[in-house]
Amino acid sequence: AQSVTQLDSQVPVFEEAPVELRCNYSSSVSVYLFWYVQYPNQGLQLLLKYLSGSTLVKGINGFEAEFNKSQTSFHLRKPSVHISDTAEYFCAVRETDSWGKLQFGAGTQVVVTP
Amino acid sequence: KAGVTQTPRYLIKTRGQQVTLSCSPISGHRSVSWYQQTPGQGLQFLFEYFSETQRNKGNFPGRFSGRQFSNSRSEMNVSTLELGDSALYLCASLPSGLAPDTQYFGPGTRLTVL
């Protein structure tokens, strides 16, 4: 069975500072990896994804993530955050043969202050 | 293209009642997945439909059911509602799931059970 662990439940950060959100997963088969963001009272918006190829993936709004197969990690980073980045961030894993079934981490709440 | 739409956006029911939620996927998408989001359990996969057939199922009781129509629109039904069914229900669509695709989420239906 697969599992996804987001190591921080909440990350406070000052505006224009960098942020890293950590995600580790376990799976016995190959996986696809995703980061989604959720703003209050909204659905999930895709930030970026790793399907294959380069392990460094770039997403929207200046976010990037690196897939590390040996450490089974997929950490999300942004070099300089804005107030508007305040939201909840979810790491998700989909096994390559599980079609539309995503397994989510518990989420990391990012709070950006001036 | 229009995004994933869900109706209604908000719903209030009482214990013991049943409820039906609707999801219209992005045009051309044939897979629809449903997720339940609660503060305590986070985001949990309910089931996935593809070409009117259930392709994946999560660990929810039989009170939770779904179906998909020939136009790919999907409904989920919860019978004999319990207080613990209060949640945000999200649906997501995939083009087909035959290739490494990305799921796109709707805004969700907020169900409150009194």
Side-chain angles (χ1 to χ4, degrees):
Chain A
Q2 60 181 348
S3 67
V4 184
T5 303
Q6 291 185 242
L7 295 156
D8 306 293
S9 59
Q10 189 168 57
V11 173
V13 58
F14 288 110
E15 194 175 17
E16 298 183 8
V19 70
E20 179 180 78
L21 308 184
R22 297 176 293 169
C23 173
N24 286 91
Y25 70 93
S26 68
S27 177
S28 55
V29 300
S30 298
V31 298
Y32 303 128
L33 297 154
F34 305 85
W35 276 98
Y36 285 89
V37 62
Q38 186 176 38
Y39 300 101
N41 300 314
Q42 294 189 25
L44 299 173
Q45 180 183 3
L46 179 73
L47 278 176
L48 48 76
K49 60 189 176 187
Y50 172 78
L51 304 179
S52 66
S54 173
T55 57
L56 181 64
V57 292
K58 295 190 183 297
I60 62 170
N61 301 339
F63 284 95
E64 64 178 34
E66 185 154 21
F67 169 53
N68 188 317
K69 189 174 182 179
S70 62
Q71 296 186 4
T72 59
S73 69
F74 191 52
H75 301 332
L76 180 72
R77 301 182 185 94
K78 184 169 182 178
S80 175
V81 297
H82 302 292
I83 297 289
S84 58
D85 292 322
T86 295
E88 188 147 26
Y89 293 78
F90 293 93
C91 179
V93 170
R94 187 172 96 221
E95 293 182 341
T96 55
D97 61 352
S98 70
W99 309 112
K101 179 180 178 180
L102 283 171
Q103 176 84 31
F104 284 91
T108 298
Q109 179 68 45
V110 172
V111 180
V112 182
T113 53
Chain B
K1 276 186 181 178
V4 179
T5 57
Q6 292 188 245
T7 57
R9 291 293 311 279
Y10 301 91
L11 209 46
I12 299 175
K13 293 285 187 179
T14 55
R15 275 184 302 173
Q17 288 187 309
Q18 76 164 13
V19 67
T20 299
L21 312 181
S22 180
C23 173
S24 292
I26 292 170
S27 177
H29 287 198
R30 295 167 59 196
S31 162
V32 173
S33 297
W34 288 89
Y35 296 83
Q36 181 195 64
Q37 185 178 23
T38 60
Q41 300 298 317
L43 280 153
Q44 294 185 286
F45 172 79
L46 281 154
F47 31 65
E48 181 207 6
Y49 286 86
F50 176 74
S51 292
E52 302 178 65
T53 301
Q54 189 178 82
R55 186 161 68 174
N56 262 310
K57 190 177 186 306
N59 297 322
F60 278 80
R63 299 186 297 108
F64 292 81
S65 63
R67 59 177 176 168
Q68 186 179 35
F69 301 95
S70 58
N71 62 357
S72 294
R73 188 178 71 84
S74 177
E75 289 181 346
M76 68 162 280
N77 184 276
V78 188
S79 63
T80 320
L81 284 166
E82 300 176 359
L83 295 178
D85 297 333
S86 293
L88 180 67
Y89 290 88
L90 295 163
C91 82
S93 74
L94 265 175
S96 68
L98 299 175
D101 292 318
T102 302
Q103 283 186 307
Y104 295 92
F105 284 80
T109 293
R110 173 76 61 185
L111 172 65
T112 302
V113 182
L114 302 176

